[in-house]
Amino acid sequence: MIFNLADIFESLADAIPEREALVCGAQRRTFAELDARANRLAHALAARGVGPGQHVGLYLHNGAEYVEAMLAAFKLRAAPINVNFRYVEDELRYLFRDADLVALLHQREYAPRVEVARAGVPKLRAFLAVEDGSGADLQALGSTPYEDALAAASPERGFAPRSPD
């Protein structure tokens, strides 16, 4: 039997759901909580057109949301792509285009930079913003707050069968 990373994580969530899976500062997630949040994010991304083989950018600081985003991408058979938070607009535009990103999760503070960088990147069409207290404008980019996207999506698995890719 062959598994991908999402399958392996889900087997742990089923076997030891109440054990802590993630500790990041004050944030703590059990395996069950992390699985449910990753499922919600995967469903939110799928609703925005993300599917197998597509690339999802992670323009995030280290945190629980980064891990949730990686797992969500794996659940959809999509590929998470790290985006260096130090990049400026030209570097971001090059990466967004070269990596064929279709969705981007970003810290709220980066919304203005992403708005400038997305010009000329037609495949990049979905944006989710992780709250960071910056108060940066999300309207120009059309970015959905991360927690709102999770709240509106199902915590159930319900994904297509996965390959070992």
Side-chain angles (χ1 to χ4, degrees):
M1 187 172 259
I2 299 174
F3 297 103
N4 77 5
L5 291 173
D7 296 321
I8 294 168
F9 175 78
E10 288 171 355
S11 69
L12 287 169
D14 292 342
I16 51 173
E18 297 308 316
R19 285 202 190 158
E20 274 189 347
L22 177 71
V23 176
C24 185
Q27 295 179 313
R28 295 182 178 281
R29 305 267 194 275
T30 65
F31 278 94
E33 291 166 339
L34 185 55
D35 187 46
R37 287 179 61 85
N39 289 338
R40 286 179 182 276
L41 181 55
H43 287 298
L45 289 169
R48 288 162 175 79
V50 177
Q54 293 187 312
H55 299 167
V56 177
L58 307 183
Y59 192 24
L60 302 168
H61 293 282
N62 290 339
E65 296 84 4
Y66 193 100
V67 176
E68 291 166 358
M70 282 187 1
L71 289 169
F74 295 147
K75 286 172 178 278
L76 292 174
R77 295 179 15 233
I81 306 293
N82 183 61
V83 179
N84 189 320
F85 69 90
R86 292 184 177 94
Y87 283 174
V88 296
E89 288 86 354
D90 289 340
E91 293 168 311
L92 289 170
R93 185 176 298 111
Y94 174 81
L95 176 68
F96 294 170
R97 191 173 40 242
D98 191 56
D100 291 326
L101 297 186
V102 297
L104 181 72
L105 285 82
H106 63 89
Q107 298 294 140
R108 183 179 188 133
E109 70 180 298
Y110 299 142
R113 191 179 299 166
V114 172
E115 171 58 23
V116 172
R118 77 173 179 163
V121 187
K123 289 182 181 179
L124 183 54
R125 60 187 180 274
F127 303 91
L128 297 177
V130 172
E131 186 56 54
D132 56 23
S134 68
D137 178 38
L138 298 178
Q139 285 186 336
L141 182 58
S143 193
T144 303
Y146 182 86
E147 292 297 333
D148 291 355
L150 266 62
S154 171
E156 304 302 319
R157 289 185 185 147
F159 304 105
R162 300 181 191 114
S163 72
D165 292 348

